[in-house]
Amino acid sequence: MFRLQSSKVLAVDMTGDAVRAKNGSMVAYDGDMAFKKLSGGGEGLRGMVTRRLTGEQMTVMEVKGLGTCWFADRAAEISLVGLQGDTLHVESSNLLATDGGLRTGTTFTGLRGASQGNGLFTTTVEGHGQAAIMSDGPAVVLRVSAQYPLTVDPGAYVAHQGNLRQSFQSGVTFRTLMGEGGGEAFQLRFEGDGLVYVQPSERNTIAGDV
């Protein structure tokens, strides 16, 4: 159903089924398609509450029909992730599209720091099917094992899956070591067994200048 037309264009072949994608990301289609705008940030009561808490205004669209639809967003690189009943945690800005049968939600991932008390939320994708995630530059997939935990700059983090525990480390960050950055800074630490997707470029994060 999902295939890469190029590293920056996702093609989805549909035979009457549906796909959900970031609103405005459709660049072309053939065949007979119907489009419907949906609210983003997760489904059900949990998603509604989280959107209210975070002020998240992400919108997604559902595309259903017969034919092929092509999606892209700001020439970002696209990676396909297959789910076999497991859960993908992904930054909402990095999620391009999901199979219509996959469930999306929002989960609380922890506090940025006791002094700030700000919560961090991430989008979850669960079920069996495919998801397309975006990155600024080709995504790098890093393996985490019991022997080798992984520490990631939050500005480079894209997504993770598997049996992983995520925690936050305050204090020195990569930028601080280079004499840059300011304010309360933190790193993301992953332990367990799974995969972490990072991008070779840093976004601005809600932690400020980290």
Side-chain angles (χ1 to χ4, degrees), residues 97-135:
T98 64
D99 281 347
L102 290 174
R103 301 180 303 277
T104 60
T106 312
T107 185
F108 178 69
T109 61
L111 294 176
R112 176 160 70 87
S115 62
Q116 296 287 338
N118 291 336
L120 297 177
F121 293 82
T122 186
T123 297
T124 58
V125 183
E126 303 174 82
H128 292 80
Q130 286 184 297
I133 61 176
M134 301 180 293
S135 56

Side-chain angles (χ1 to χ4, degrees), residues 22 56 58 90-96 122-123 134:
K22 184 176 181 179
E56 185 177 347
M58 186 183 86
V90 57
E91 290 292 309
S92 61
S93 60
N94 292 99
L95 182 60
L96 177 63
T122 186
T123 297
M134 301 180 293

Side-chain angles (χ1 to χ4, degrees), residues 23-78:
N23 198 45
S25 63
M26 190 273 294
V27 295
Y29 72 92
D30 62 23
D32 185 15
M33 299 288 174
F35 301 87
K36 180 171 66 174
K37 184 177 179 180
L38 305 173
S39 61
E43 300 165 352
L45 180 61
R46 182 178 64 170
M48 292 173 59
V49 171
T50 304
R51 287 196 301 275
R52 183 167 297 177
L53 288 174
T54 61
E56 185 177 347
Q57 297 298 319
M58 186 183 86
T59 55
V60 296
M61 61 181 177
E62 182 181 75
V63 185
K64 186 175 183 179
L66 297 167
T68 300
C69 212
W70 289 270
F71 301 92
D73 186 49
R74 295 172 289 109
E77 297 283 338
I78 301 171

Side-chain angles (χ1 to χ4, degrees), residues 181-206:
E184 184 186 13
F186 69 96
Q187 300 168 342
L188 300 177
R189 181 177 174 86
F190 295 92
E191 298 175 277
D193 182 44
L195 301 174
V196 177
Y197 299 80
V198 298
Q199 60 186 9
S201 176
E202 294 181 83
R203 75 175 77 80
N204 292 325
T205 67
I206 62 173

Side-chain angles (χ1 to χ4, degrees), residues 132-148:
I133 61 176
M134 301 180 293
S135 56
D136 187 2
V140 178
V141 185
L142 302 175
R143 164 69 66 177
V144 181
S145 66
Q147 296 81 12
Y148 297 100

